[in-house]
Amino acid sequence: MLDLQIKGILEQAAAAGAPDFADLPPAAGREVYSQILAATDVAVADGVNISDLSIPGPGGELALRCYRPEGADELAGAVLYLHGGGFVVGCPRDYDGVVSQLSRLSGCLIVQVDYRLAPEHPYPAAVEDCYAALCWLADAATELRVTPGQIALAGDSAGANLAAVCALLARDNAGPSVRQQTLIYPTASGPDTLYDSYDKYGEGYTLTNRSMVYFMEHYLSGSAEPVDFRLAPLDAENLSDLPPALIQVAGFDPLRDEGIAYAEALQQAGCSVSLTEYPQLVHGYISMSGAVAAAGRAVDEVAAAWRQVFSSVA
């Protein structure tokens, strides 16, 4: 059964004539996305310092947003968090509430990446930015007062796709050691792979099939790069020897079956996977705990997973 608070949000959006992202140009879509998250996200956490910095990136200066619990001289671990938004909308500031709360609850430094967005910067620009940030974070651990080698990857939706891809790139390129990956309702397949959940939940909820097509068309538009695992982690020839994964999916989400398929593929490859379904929730719930009480349980699970990952670090 759909969560009653989410049902109320959906009904209000329908009554107000809220547009589908597929009907908006990217600039307008970004404004709408920011407004949606501002209305549903939890408040910025007390006791967490938020700061901005920039590093050299593949396409120029790359902006990062850092969340650090107050009062800790050295932190046991750091998480690179990659925001959602279909590779087209979203920015770190949109996620200040949930990411600051995750930092407070987990005791971790969290770094968000303001990766380049499509269609201005098509695939694989976002991948390149996120992997560059991962490498920087590993190199800068001592400077950031984080125990070296203690890094996790995380993201939601398109950001979960980017996190999964970065884990693969790190493995294949002798890159940073990644302790864990948290993938929240990830997209993991190419645009031609459809699942039953697309038919069941692709209309009338927060993410529509039309939006999925819109996002993917923008992400791939003008790209000369081959479509491979950097777009669809499920297409990777080898999924073994990847970090332990926490994968969360929502019951009323067109991406539900896709996330489950990636969890099963990782398990079949011998990876450690914890799969959690939140059957009453919809796509986007990680940024809804300010308006949807049930979404808070998913946030708590993520924070608890990170505490456990880094608990053995002195």
Side-chain angles (χ1 to χ4, degrees), residues 65 93 104 106 114 163 174 212 260 299-300 303 314:
R65 194 161 174 87
R93 197 174 292 270
R104 178 184 67 83
S106 67
D114 196 8
M212 284 294 296
I260 293 172
V299 174
D300 290 341

Side-chain angles (χ1 to χ4, degrees), residues 3 22 45 55 61 171 267 275 277 307:
D3 179 89
I55 63 172
E61 288 297 299
R171 182 201 64 185
Q267 288 174 327
L275 173 65
E277 179 176 358
R307 289 197 305 270

Side-chain angles (χ1 to χ4, degrees), residues 222-272:
S223 175
E225 290 285 328
V227 173
D228 54 27
F229 75 91
R230 294 171 298 169
L231 175 75
L234 265 169
D235 289 347
E237 293 182 2
N238 177 14
L239 290 175
S240 65
D241 300 318
L242 289 169
L246 166 63
I247 298 180
Q248 292 185 348
V249 298
F252 292 86
D253 183 358
L255 297 186
R256 173 189 175 273
D257 293 354
E258 197 161 337
I260 293 172
Y262 194 58
E264 291 174 345
L266 289 175
Q267 288 174 327
Q268 290 170 5
C271 299
S272 173

Side-chain angles (χ1 to χ4, degrees), residues 187 189-190 193-203 209 212 253-258:
T187 173
S189 299
T193 304
L194 300 179
Y195 296 86
D196 288 345
S197 53
Y198 279 74
D199 292 331
K200 294 178 181 177
Y201 311 117
E203 185 175 351
N209 290 341
M212 284 294 296
D253 183 358
L255 297 186
R256 173 189 175 273
D257 293 354
E258 197 161 337

